[in-house]
Amino acid sequence: MKALAESVKEKDQSLETVPKMTWRNYVLLSVLFKVMFSTFLCAYIESDWTLTMLKKEHVLNMTEQFSECEPGNSTMEQRKGLEDAENQNAKWRMIYTLAETVPAMIVTLVLPAYTDVYERKFLLLLPTVGALIKFLTLSLTIQFEGSFWFLFASHIVSGLTGSAFGFLAATFSMVADLTLPGNKRTQLIVMVECVVVSSTGIASLTSGMLKEIMEMGFFGSSLIGTGNCAVSLLMAFLIPETHLGEKRHKPESVLKTVKRVTNFYIGFDNSRSKTKLYITLLMAFGFATVSSANRMGMETLYFLENPFCWGPVKIGIFSTIRSTIQCLIGVVAVKLLLKCLSSEMIGMMSALSNATSYIIQAFATTTVVVYLVPAAAMFSILIIPIIRSLMSSATPADRQGALFAGMTSIEVFCTVLASFARRAILSASLSFMSGFVFLMLALMALINVAQMIVVKLLKPATDDYKFGDVEMETGITAESATRMMAIESGLPAKEQKKM
């Protein structure tokens, strides 16, 4: 009971010290969009430029552009050269990915946890600097037709500085600092997720337009991403620190910091029922990440093949439409749904939406049917932010960084795993069913539904208190509990003092 009372008192104190949001806090969303937009834009440019350079090496006497969908006047030798160039490009993309994600997986296990001790802002600036170095290296390598190993080195630098995953961990920790556990935190986390998703669609469309319509070239296109990232770095200095001194955790060694990250899942700091809840939510988060992460990259490979044979602009338009529908409906729907449904129920609805969209996409053979996918996926964006919010709301204010450190490290691992697994399944299944990989992802989404049901069953056993029984069970007065409810509901300060 003593631990329970301390938990309630800690929450009461944390609610009173939530910083007030100003326009400078909302700059974070703008910086996040610019960083993610530059990341995805430069990723497309890097892949296209690498393939173009490999084509020069492998495709002999190439007088016109051709592909497997439009072979044109190409010879058997040229088609074989194109296949070799595409295989080499896939290998280099794997090398780039591992060069960044392996160090990022280790760094994100530690650095976000240290933001509990010091401040969050440094984890916004450090990955942005790393990204700027990577994009600048890409521009210079393109301009001087340098070795691919320069790009490899730049990805290592980006990974060691946390990459975009570290930036996201800091962003979600800041959201937790600025909001109370509950609906408002969920809504803001959904908004952050929508910013990331929308940046992917817009970056894809921009990449296609720069290549096919504006014919800007790789160097000019990469300078747009590099310059945009440089502006975002300057804007990041405007963002105020959100992790106040009284909420900060005491300094610890690296080993103890890592243990603080893992203690959520091994029961040292929680009751058995709460540990089960954390583990179930983390597993659900992993499955949701595998089924949702880098969906656009897989769709790009899918739409490039028969029967679609789409170009970059068509793919960009589809991705932008899908991400726009997901974001607009997601932001509006979550606010309405939270008034009548629990977070777990919304998570189930989102996972079902995701599964339905994948099933439609698996059997689509025409453009009309493909465009039913965004309609079916309208709620699919909600599952991951719902899980983030549930885990964050169950965590004390001085351990939010540690929580998101563990989640981010798992997110990096699952993103890499999903990327390689999807490519392998897609390549192996093209001969008998090009959309087979989407059926596998639909199955993952259905597993997510079952996991959210388990979370729904586990959550009542982990509730720290009920307001009606607070004084009896914990020694906290009914007035204090009522005031906590008033703060949670957003009543003005004058009304809170009257309680």
Side-chain angles (χ1 to χ4, degrees):
M1 287 301 171
K2 183 178 179 182
L4 192 60
E6 289 177 353
S7 174
V8 176
K9 289 176 181 177
E10 179 182 25
K11 185 172 182 180
D12 189 20
Q13 183 181 16
S14 67
L15 291 177
E16 295 183 40
T17 57
V18 171
K20 183 179 179 181
M21 293 186 67
T22 67
W23 68 269
R24 290 176 62 195
N25 294 114
Y26 287 102
V27 172
L28 175 61
L29 296 178
S30 178
V31 173
L32 174 65
F33 176 83
K34 293 175 79 65
V35 169
M36 300 307 295
F37 171 82
S38 296
T39 298
F40 291 116
L41 177 63
C42 287
Y44 298 138
I45 294 168
E46 180 182 71
S47 178
D48 282 348
W49 179 78
T50 302
L51 180 59
T52 299
M53 298 303 292
L54 289 169
K55 281 180 178 180
K56 289 183 179 180
E57 178 182 344
H58 289 273
V59 183
L60 303 176
N61 301 320
M62 187 176 65
T63 58
E64 59 180 283
Q65 294 293 326
F66 62 90
S67 66
E68 292 183 359
C69 288
E70 298 179 1
N73 297 322
S74 62
T75 64
M76 182 65 71
E77 184 181 13
Q78 288 174 328
R79 287 196 292 273
K80 179 63 170 60
L82 175 62
E83 183 180 346
D84 291 340
E86 289 176 341
N87 289 336
Q88 287 294 318
N89 184 44
K91 289 180 181 179
W92 276 106
R93 289 176 67 178
M94 179 182 69
I95 291 172
Y96 296 153
T97 299
L98 292 176
E100 184 163 343
T101 54
V102 171
M105 199 182 308
I106 299 171
V107 170
T108 54
L109 191 62
V110 179
L111 285 187
Y114 268 107
T115 65
D116 288 334
V117 178
Y118 303 106
E119 60 177 31
R120 314 284 194 204
K121 192 172 178 178
F122 86 89
L123 197 53
L124 296 179
L125 299 175
L126 185 62
T128 308
V129 170
L132 183 58
I133 293 172
K134 182 175 72 172
F135 303 152
L136 185 60
T137 302
L138 173 64
S139 297
L140 293 174
T141 304
I142 290 173
Q143 176 66 12
F144 298 104
E145 296 189 359
S147 169
F148 296 157
W149 291 108
F150 287 115
L151 303 181
F152 171 79
S154 71
H155 280 279
I156 293 178
V157 172
S158 179
L160 290 174
T161 56
S163 75
F165 292 102
F167 192 100
L168 283 172
T171 300
F172 288 120
S173 299
M174 284 184 156
V175 168
D177 294 337
L178 293 167
T179 55
L180 306 177
N183 290 357
K184 186 170 183 181
R185 180 173 297 180
T186 302
Q187 292 168 23
L188 198 52
I189 288 178
V190 169
M191 190 177 296
V192 170
E193 201 80 33
C194 287
V195 168
V196 176
V197 172
S198 64
S199 69
T200 63
I202 295 174
S204 176
L205 180 60
T206 303
S207 174
M209 292 179 66
L210 291 174
K211 179 179 180 180
E212 288 192 351
I213 299 177
M214 300 179 67
E215 299 182 351
M216 183 172 287
F218 294 118
F219 179 65
S221 300
S222 66
L223 285 181
I224 292 177
T226 304
N228 192 54
C229 185
V231 173
S232 66
L233 178 60
L234 297 176
M235 291 176 64
F237 285 98
L238 293 174
I239 302 170
E241 178 56 45
T242 59
H243 196 45
L244 305 178
E246 63 269 18
K247 289 186 179 181
R248 293 183 182 178
H249 200 279
K250 63 181 181 179
E252 294 175 330
S253 65
V254 175
L255 180 61
K256 287 186 176 180
T257 299
V258 174
K259 286 180 64 178
R260 189 155 49 87
V261 173
T262 59
N263 280 351
F264 291 106
Y265 315 105
I266 56 180
F268 287 167
D269 295 342
N270 305 304
S271 63
R272 182 176 297 180
S273 58
K274 195 165 186 179
T275 299
K276 289 180 181 178
L277 179 65
Y278 273 120
I279 293 174
T280 305
L281 283 169
L282 189 67
M283 290 177 62
F285 179 74
F287 273 87
T289 301
V290 170
S291 64
S292 302
N294 196 28
R295 178 172 182 167
M296 188 170 56
M298 181 184 56
E299 287 176 340
T300 299
L301 295 175
Y302 179 68
F303 289 137
L304 286 172
E305 301 290 340
N306 286 309
F308 300 102
C309 293
W310 285 2
V313 173
K314 282 187 176 181
I315 294 173
I317 291 173
F318 174 81
S319 299
T320 303
I321 290 174
R322 180 174 57 76
S323 61
T324 300
I325 290 175
Q326 285 181 313
C327 294
L328 291 178
I329 293 180
V331 170
V332 175
V334 73
K335 188 171 185 178
L336 298 176
L337 292 173
L338 285 170
K339 293 181 178 181
C340 54
L341 296 175
S342 66
S343 294
E344 297 82 9
M345 290 298 295
I346 297 173
M348 295 178 210
M349 181 189 301
S350 175
L352 283 172
S353 175
N354 211 12
T356 304
S357 70
Y358 278 132
I359 292 172
I360 293 174
Q361 197 158 7
F363 295 100
T365 56
T366 66
T367 301
V368 174
V369 177
V370 164
Y371 272 92
L372 293 177
V373 173
M378 65 175 70
F379 298 118
S380 61
I381 195 175
L382 298 177
I383 178 67
I384 290 180
I386 285 291
I387 295 173
R388 290 190 204 271
S389 178
L390 285 170
M391 296 185 74
S392 176
S393 295
T395 305
D398 66 340
R399 297 182 64 192
Q400 293 291 329
L403 172 74
F404 287 114
M407 293 184 72
T408 303
S409 189
I410 292 295
E411 185 175 14
V412 176
F413 173 77
C414 289
T415 300
V416 176
L417 176 65
S419 179
F420 292 150
R422 287 171 181 176
R423 288 175 183 274
I425 294 172
L426 183 60
S427 299
S429 61
L430 280 175
S431 60
F432 62 91
M433 183 182 179
S434 59
F436 180 76
V437 65
F438 294 110
L439 291 180
M440 299 299 295
L441 294 173
L443 177 62
M444 301 285 284
L446 291 175
I447 293 174
N448 250 165
V449 176
Q451 290 170 323
M452 295 310 295
I453 293 174
V454 174
V455 170
K456 180 70 174 175
L457 296 175
L458 285 174
K459 197 178 176 186
T462 64
D463 288 341
D464 287 338
Y465 56 86
K466 295 180 180 179
F467 286 115
D469 302 325
V470 169
E471 187 171 2
M472 178 182 66
E473 295 184 6
T474 67
I476 302 297
T477 65
E479 289 80 7
S480 178
T482 305
R483 186 159 178 252
M484 290 169 67
M485 291 181 67
I487 298 173
E488 176 77 20
S489 61
L491 287 179
K494 291 183 179 179
E495 295 297 326
Q496 295 173 20
K497 291 179 180 179
K498 292 178 181 179
M499 295 184 168

